[in-house]
Amino acid sequence: MKRLTIGLFAHVDAGKTTFAEQLLYHTNSIKSRGRVDHQDAFLDSHDIERTRGITVFADQAVMEYKGDTYYLVDTPGHVDFSPEMERAMQVIDYAVVIVSAVEGVQGHTETVWQLLRKHRIPTFFFINKTDRTGADVGRTEEDIRQQLTGDICSITSSLADGMVAEPLREAMAERDEAALEAFLAGRNDPAFWLQAMQRMVREELIFPCAYGSALQDTGIVEFLEQLHLLTVATYDETVPFAGRVYKIRHDANGVRLTFMKALSGRLKVREQLDYESGGVSYGEKVTRLLLFNGFKSQPMEQVAAGDLFAVAGLSAAPAGQGLGLISDRLVYESEPTLQSKVLFDDSLHVQKVLGVFRILEAEEPSLNVVWDENLQEIHIRVMGLIQLEVLEQLVKERFGFAISFGQPEILYKETLQSAVMGYGHFEPLRHYAEVHVLMEPGERGSGIVFGSTCHPDVLNMNYQHLIRTHLYEREHHGVLTGMPVTDLRITLIRGAAHKEHTHGGDFREALFRALRQGLEKADNLLLEPYYDFKIKVGIDEMGKVLSDVQRASGTFEPPQTIGAQAVIAGRVPVSTFMNYSTEFASFTHGRGSIRCAFGGYDRCHNAEEVIGRIGYRRDADPLYTSSSIFCAKGAGYSVPWDEAEAKMHLL
């Protein structure tokens, strides 16, 4: 018996959830088929999803087919919930991308495709809505070939009862040497061709494509059989347990549930799992194992490689965390570019609201909740306005009180343009720590990278590990706007401790002061988020689009023309382009397509204007100080950043 996880992906409104309903119905997992517009779809079980008619949460269902177990994961199709989609992507074995036969490849379809290729996930296509007016399977297949991959192979009429038809064998031969030799030799062994196709799907040499109508239930049963024939499992239950966390949820009683995929071995109730989170080591026992099917759960005594399940008993393992044989933590590509302030009534205690958002942050790490102690404000990061609307409704339904949000603003970041040394000293009475760090610009998108050239004889390795832990325990604000610093290589050059007077937290204070002191001296650079865009319009509208991109401080590659259409790709600041899709839809009358994907951070196009507008006072931020504390005559005293370097003990 094989256990496989199948992920469903699509641009919003391509019919993905209806497709899932049909698969579940035909495998007897549900007794009746729900519909999104009837608000009774099995996998859209949350009130928010049913009311809005979109998938917000990546929920799973279980279906049995011909003795095999398939975990079906229905992922969000709206760009605002891309982080949820990407986390689920990390634990699937095969993907099914749903494409509408009317609209063809849309913006989010391309984003999904790029992520699937990045994570090397074997992929099937299902061209849906063939019953709709304007549907054209041939045109949609060509759309996929031009915009996604030329290696799609139609299986609707070429794969049945385990037999691979000649047109499909010919397509395989064009892409694989072993298949070519067999084809030229006239080999007709069905088992050989089926196994060859299984291998080529797994190696991403071909991408099977079928078509039908989920709403009318045409082509679904055939596709289910084809999916069964072409997928294989390679999990090993005989080796020690390894698992990957992909989401966090809390049940009705507030108990934290850690959802994960078993990648090898077995896991039983009461077994201990060891992991590290936030620089803290944990060793916690599994108190419950739960198998989820929609919103229903079934307790299990043990799970095995290939299973998708939830664990109770883990208090801090985050999404992306490896457990058992693997201990790494995945980094996700989807990143919010907006931030917003949480607004709530004065009658609500701020700590209660903050506690709720800490729970939501565990479930959606990209929120990156920030508590401003000085202003007594809560700030979060989001992908877009729809996410804010959903969060507002979610807090009301789950926690019983009303909140709202301030106008979303662009999340800027800061970095350095050249290397600089930072010095920090913390020595109030009976405390002692000194830190010297080299701060250098890093590659775009690299974040904060720590290293050390400090010899253990100068500073004990335990203290060096402590400094590293403190570096990553929070974001560090820049001096231009107070926004997070990023893309830095931080190297510990020297450090000093005292045998008696160095206590917990001393190196935190010294390190943070060293970082800030370095930033005060540095040549700082403001960064802003950019979109990588791809726009398809009629040739007559190309000139306006190019003009709009230039006006938005963007750049573009030479346009390509395909028939009567132009394809324009380029890069543009989020701040100038985030609302362009509405204007675009208006002047193209809905006939054009636009894809905007997060393209990382780069030099801000209007830095002086932004810095002036934000008006950050670097000397008035109570959480970030560049001064050092020295001791004289039994008392600590503060030394400003520009005088502190000369007083350091290790110079």
Side-chain angles (χ1 to χ4, degrees):
M1 182 186 83
K2 65 184 179 186
R3 300 183 186 90
L4 288 174
T5 301
I6 309 295
L8 303 182
F9 302 87
H11 187 96
V12 67
D13 291 333
K16 171 174 52 61
T17 300
T18 305
F19 179 82
E21 292 290 307
Q22 295 290 6
L23 291 181
L24 293 172
Y25 177 78
H26 286 297
T27 54
N28 299 314
S29 300
I30 56 177
K31 295 180 180 178
S32 61
R33 291 166 281 206
R35 285 178 52 165
V36 173
D37 53 342
H38 293 172
Q39 299 186 12
D40 60 355
F42 181 73
L43 279 172
D44 281 352
S45 58
H46 301 263
D47 289 342
I48 291 172
E49 295 176 311
R50 291 181 169 178
T51 301
R52 291 181 169 272
I54 61 173
T55 301
V56 174
F57 307 102
D59 286 334
Q60 66 267 15
V62 184
M63 59 186 196
E64 304 285 339
Y65 186 72
K66 295 190 175 181
D68 293 331
T69 299
Y70 295 91
Y71 296 98
L72 196 65
V73 179
D74 185 17
T75 67
H78 196 286
V79 66
D80 278 18
F81 308 102
S82 295
E84 176 89 352
M85 178 269 291
E86 189 182 358
R87 288 191 297 273
M89 188 179 287
Q90 302 279 13
V91 296
I92 69 167
D93 299 299
Y94 291 88
V96 179
V97 175
I98 315 295
V99 181
S100 169
V102 180
E103 288 82 10
V105 173
Q106 295 169 275
H108 194 56
T109 320
E110 292 194 50
T111 302
V112 166
W113 176 254
Q114 296 300 330
L115 283 172
L116 289 170
R117 301 287 56 80
K118 175 187 174 184
H119 298 305
R120 304 298 308 273
I121 298 172
T123 303
F124 292 75
F125 287 97
F126 187 84
I127 298 174
N128 193 26
K129 300 189 176 184
T130 55
D131 59 309
R132 287 260 308 274
T133 302
D136 188 329
V137 172
R139 184 192 67 217
T140 306
E141 283 188 351
E142 187 58 29
D143 206 13
I144 293 171
R145 286 192 178 92
Q146 288 184 359
Q147 297 196 53
L148 304 182
T149 175
D151 293 320
I152 64 164
C153 297
S154 178
I155 59 173
T156 293
S157 57
S158 299
L159 178 65
D161 302 320
M163 302 290 291
V164 179
E166 185 167 344
L168 189 51
R169 296 202 298 266
E170 185 175 350
M172 294 167 62
E174 292 173 356
R175 294 163 173 83
D176 181 73
E177 189 172 327
L180 176 61
E181 291 179 3
F183 184 78
L184 293 176
R187 186 168 181 177
N188 291 317
D189 178 7
F192 167 82
W193 285 105
L194 183 60
Q195 289 173 6
M197 193 167 183
Q198 289 172 346
R199 174 182 57 79
M200 291 180 68
V201 169
R202 195 169 63 250
E203 294 176 358
E204 302 173 87
L205 298 175
I206 58 173
F207 302 96
C209 181
Y211 61 85
S213 168
L215 188 61
Q216 301 300 326
D217 194 16
T218 57
I220 305 298
V221 173
E222 294 82 357
F223 181 76
L224 178 61
E225 174 63 16
Q226 291 160 344
L227 189 70
H228 172 71
L229 286 172
L230 295 179
T231 54
V232 293
T234 56
Y235 292 110
D236 189 350
E237 298 179 23
T238 64
V239 298
F241 173 77
R244 176 78 67 189
V245 178
Y246 72 97
K247 71 176 179 179
I248 305 296
R249 292 290 183 266
H250 293 81
D251 67 15
N253 298 316
V255 175
R256 179 184 172 112
L257 298 177
T258 303
F259 285 75
M260 66 176 74
K261 171 79 170 281
L263 302 175
S264 68
R266 292 177 174 271
L267 180 67
K268 298 179 181 179
V269 175
R270 292 178 291 278
E271 283 191 27
Q272 179 169 307
L273 291 174
D274 300 319
Y275 62 95
E276 185 176 295
S277 178
V280 179
S281 296
Y282 294 84
E284 299 176 320
K285 286 189 177 180
V286 173
T287 56
R288 280 190 298 161
L289 291 170
L290 299 168
L291 193 65
F292 271 81
N293 190 11
F295 63 89
K296 297 179 181 178
S297 64
Q298 173 188 349
M300 306 285 288
E301 280 301 309
Q302 74 169 4
V303 291
D307 279 330
L308 210 61
F309 58 97
V311 169
L314 304 186
S315 63
Q321 181 66 52
L323 297 166
L325 277 183
I326 54 176
S327 59
D328 64 320
R329 183 180 176 185
L330 299 179
V331 176
Y332 300 106
E333 189 169 294
S334 301
E335 183 177 342
T337 57
L338 302 175
Q339 61 180 353
S340 181
K341 183 170 72 172
V342 182
L343 306 176
F344 51 92
D345 192 86
D346 291 341
S347 62
L348 288 170
H349 196 286
V350 66
Q351 291 301 323
K352 178 181 180 181
V353 181
L354 181 59
V356 162
F357 275 89
R358 290 298 184 202
I359 292 172
L360 295 175
E361 182 183 31
E363 299 176 357
E364 179 47 80
S366 67
L367 287 178
N368 212 319
V369 177
V370 175
W371 164 239
D372 190 319
E373 180 72 39
N374 188 47
L375 298 175
Q376 295 284 293
E377 291 178 349
I378 302 168
H379 296 260
I380 63 169
R381 296 177 189 171
V382 291
M383 301 291 289
L385 293 174
I386 299 297
Q387 186 182 7
L388 286 178
E389 292 174 10
V390 167
L391 281 169
E392 192 172 323
Q393 189 176 345
L394 192 64
V395 171
K396 181 69 174 177
E397 290 181 1
R398 281 181 59 180
F399 304 102
F401 59 85
I403 54 102
S404 60
F405 298 96
Q407 183 67 28
E409 299 174 344
I410 295 294
L411 176 65
Y412 295 92
K413 294 187 179 183
E414 299 182 30
T415 190
L416 300 183
Q417 298 196 71
S418 57
V420 67
M421 283 293 299
Y423 301 92
H425 188 93
F426 185 68
E427 192 188 0
L429 186 61
R430 298 188 181 89
H431 291 267
Y432 187 93
E434 184 168 299
V435 171
H436 301 183
V437 291
L438 173 63
M439 303 163 62
E440 301 172 284
E443 295 291 326
R444 287 286 178 267
S446 61
I448 305 293
V449 178
F450 177 78
S452 175
T453 60
C454 181
H455 196 280
D457 289 347
V458 175
L459 185 65
N460 185 288
M461 288 305 298
N462 288 335
Y463 286 131
Q464 295 196 37
H465 291 318
L466 188 61
I467 290 170
R468 182 188 186 280
T469 298
H470 290 321
L471 177 66
Y472 289 116
E473 72 182 30
R474 75 177 188 190
E475 286 186 331
H476 304 281
H477 290 187
V479 296
L480 299 176
T481 59
M483 295 293 182
V485 293
T486 188
D487 300 344
L488 295 180
R489 293 194 304 273
I490 309 292
T491 305
L492 177 64
I493 304 298
R494 290 178 291 274
H498 191 280
K499 289 183 179 180
E500 297 179 10
H501 294 157
T502 297
H503 303 289
D506 290 357
F507 273 106
R508 178 192 292 111
E509 291 286 346
L511 171 67
F512 291 177
R513 292 163 193 270
L515 294 175
R516 188 71 168 189
Q517 197 262 358
L519 291 173
E520 291 280 8
K521 299 185 296 182
D523 185 7
N524 294 280
L525 178 67
L526 188 66
L527 304 175
E528 68 177 329
Y530 277 73
Y531 284 140
D532 289 330
F533 70 84
K534 187 175 183 181
I535 294 174
K536 286 198 305 182
V537 289
I539 289 179
D540 292 343
E541 296 155 330
M542 179 176 67
K544 174 171 171 48
V545 171
L546 296 179
S547 175
D548 290 345
V549 170
Q550 288 178 321
R551 192 173 65 249
S553 300
T555 58
F556 51 82
E557 300 168 5
Q560 297 180 333
T561 56
I562 303 172
Q565 282 197 318
V567 179
I568 306 161
R571 188 169 169 81
V572 66
V574 171
S575 61
T576 60
F577 219 63
M578 58 188 296
N579 298 318
Y580 184 67
S581 58
T582 303
E583 178 188 347
F584 178 80
S586 176
F587 75 76
T588 62
H589 305 290
R591 291 191 293 269
S593 71
I594 180 169
R595 168 189 177 259
C596 291
F598 175 62
Y601 277 78
D602 214 329
R603 181 185 292 267
C604 181
H605 79 283
N606 60 337
E608 289 188 10
E609 177 188 331
V610 172
I611 292 169
R613 184 175 70 245
I614 292 176
Y616 176 68
R617 290 183 55 196
R618 63 175 70 181
D619 57 345
D621 191 332
L623 293 179
Y624 295 88
T625 178
S626 55
S627 62
S628 282
I629 304 297
F630 290 85
C631 189
K633 300 178 181 179
Y637 66 99
S638 179
V639 177
W641 67 268
D642 53 346
E643 300 175 16
E645 182 177 339
K647 291 182 175 293
M648 293 292 153
H649 292 179
L650 292 176
L651 292 176

